[in-house]
Structures are given as C-alpha cells and as structure tokens.
Amino acid sequence: MLDGARSTTPERCTFGVDEVTVQYDDRTALDEVSCALEPGVTVLLGRNGAGKSTLCRVLASAEQPTRGRVLGPEGPVTDLRSHRARVGWLPQTPPVAAHMRAGDYLDYAAWLKGISRRDRPRAVAEALERTGLGARRGSRIGTLSGGMVRRLGIAQAIVHRPSLLVLDEPTVGLDPEQRVQFYATLRGALDADTVTLLSTHLLEDVGELAERVLVLDAGRMRFAGALETFLATVPASPDGDGRIRRAFMAQLTDEGAA
Ligand SMILES: Nc1ncnc2c1ncn2[C@@H]1O[C@H](COP(=O)(O)OP(=O)(O)OP(=O)(O)O)[C@@H](O)[C@H]1O
C-alpha cells in the first residue's frame, strides 16, 4: 500500500496529513491515514462511508483529528486560523443562501477570508469571471440552476486565491452536461500551483481531472500515486475500456463493503 505516497518526496509535499485518525464513538472514520498532496488535481476516491468527507474536513481544518497532524508547506499546522485563510473549501452541500445575490454572497465569502474592503470588488469580479458567472453577479442565488450554484460554490472557494482547494463531491447531482461545464470551469479556475483535492465516487471525474489518485477504503488509504501508476495496477484491456473502474475495484477490501 501507499507506494505512490512514498514516491511523493517531502520536498514536493505542500499539504497533507500525517498518521491521522478520526474516531466517532465506536466508529473509526480515518485510521492512521497519511498522504502528501502536490500542485495539480488529486482525486480522492472511495465508496460511501470510506472517509472521504472526513479527510476533506480535516485538511480544511473544519474538523480536528482525534490523533495525527495536518501538514502545510512549513510543516505541521499549528495555527488553524492562518491555515484556514489559505484553504478554499467546498463542502458537499454548497454553503449558499438562496436570498442573496451572487455578487453579495461572494463579497461576504471574501470578507470571511480576510480580504480588505478595497480588494474585495476585484476578488469577487475575478471569481465570477473564472467560474463563468460574470453575467450572474446580480442574480439571486435561488434563481440559479444547480450547475450554476455548484460553480458559485467553486467561486466562493477560490475568491481568496487559496493555496489548497478542497472540493467534497462537487459533481454529485449534476447532469452530464452540467458535469462537462463543471470540469471546464474548474480547469479554468485553478492556478497552476494550486493544490487541489477533489473527493468523488464518480469515476468519470478521474479521467477528466486527475493527475494523482488517492483511494480510501474503510478509513484506510489503499492507494496514493500518479494516475498512470494507478492505471498500471491493472492490465489494459484490448478495447481500453473500464480501466479506471477496474483499477479502483482492485483497491477495495471486504472490510469496506460492510
Ligand atoms: N459526525 C459523525 N458522527 C458519527 N459518525 C460519523 C460522523 N461523520 C462521519 N461519520 C462516519 O464516519 C465514516 C466516514 O464518513 P464520511 O462521511 O467521511 O465518508 P464518505 O466517504 O465521505 O462517504 P459518502 O460518500 O457517503 O459521503 C462513516 O461510517 C460515517 O458514518
């Protein structure tokens, strides 16, 4: 296990977790999980209940692990406030308020991230532009389509140009066309040096976005490495079909099927 994680040299590790355990009463959501993230998109795969959301929350410092450490470029994170200021986070349920106008909502998100009153208009305009919502600045969020609300979720997560972007199942509930738009929006919204973790159980997301892959199962990290390494865990089939699915299935355990 973790062959890919070992191949991620510490010099290139900008964010990650070290031996993180999260315990809820008698349930172990994460069991001594370690991973090192790099600039680019890492897709976090796992079945329902594997621990994906828990890992996302821990990385975003929205939740404290029972044991273990969150890592930043300077080493273990000790100052949660400044860590949160450099993290963009899109939880499973986008934190939007239907009655607000998109621009006002982003202004509020930028204020929460400590962007000054002077810099906020530019930050908001850029976030709207990067997510293709420039024309929707004055629209009430309740009138936007599901796909637009998801893009607005990305906009609030990137409004402060975070170093680490954590997206928890952002493609769930989007129809195929909305997903295509979402992929394009995300690619356009990311800076080259942004460290992005995207959790999903949609294997399509891997082919569209992943440079690296993590697989969690039953709270344990089963695989961490480059997409090519992940795919190489199973043989190619003559028609080239279903390789991501087979590579994913190969990492799963009976334990996680419970
Ligand atoms: N606040 C909580 N209290 C108790 N148990 C929890 C809590 N949050 C998560 N769990 C449990 O921890 C385990 C991991 O949950 P988590 O939500 O991280 O998984 P997931 O991979 O994101 O699943 P899904 O794809 O269904 O969202 C599950 O067994 C879940 O029931």
Side-chain angles (χ1 to χ4, degrees), residues 170-238:
T171 50
V172 165
L174 298 183
D175 67 29
E177 190 188 350
Q178 288 173 330
R179 280 209 293 280
V180 169
Q181 278 178 0
F182 177 88
Y183 297 136
T185 302
L186 185 60
R187 287 190 206 101
L190 296 178
D191 292 321
D193 56 354
T194 310
V195 177
T196 300
L197 182 72
L198 182 146
S199 111
T200 189
H201 53 244
L202 282 182
L203 296 175
E204 180 192 335
D205 293 352
V206 178
E208 290 288 341
L209 296 167
E211 288 159 65
R212 281 170 296 283
V213 176
L214 301 176
V215 180
L216 265 180
D217 194 53
R220 287 181 164 260
M221 194 64 83
R222 307 290 176 181
F223 178 87
L227 176 61
E228 305 78 58
T229 314
F230 177 64
L231 295 176
T233 58
V234 292
S237 53

Side-chain angles (χ1 to χ4, degrees), residues 16-98:
V17 293
D18 179 34
E19 303 271 311
V20 158
T21 293
V22 173
Q23 189 80 38
Y24 299 115
D25 300 322
D26 61 343
R27 186 99 201 174
T28 305
L30 294 177
D31 190 3
E32 298 192 350
V33 165
S34 298
C35 67
L37 303 173
E38 297 175 27
V41 180
T42 299
V43 170
L44 170 62
L45 288 173
R47 292 180 280 196
N48 288 336
K52 302 182 298 298
S53 293
T54 307
L55 180 56
C56 288
R57 288 196 299 270
V58 167
L59 270 164
S61 281
E63 177 169 342
Q64 289 275 69
T66 313
R67 286 187 297 282
R69 307 180 298 180
V70 177
L71 305 175
E74 68 293 324
V77 168
T78 50
D79 181 350
L80 294 186
R81 198 183 157 91
S82 55
H83 180 65
R84 285 188 195 120
R86 64 189 178 184
V87 176
W89 186 38
L90 178 58
Q92 248 179 49
T93 308
V96 292

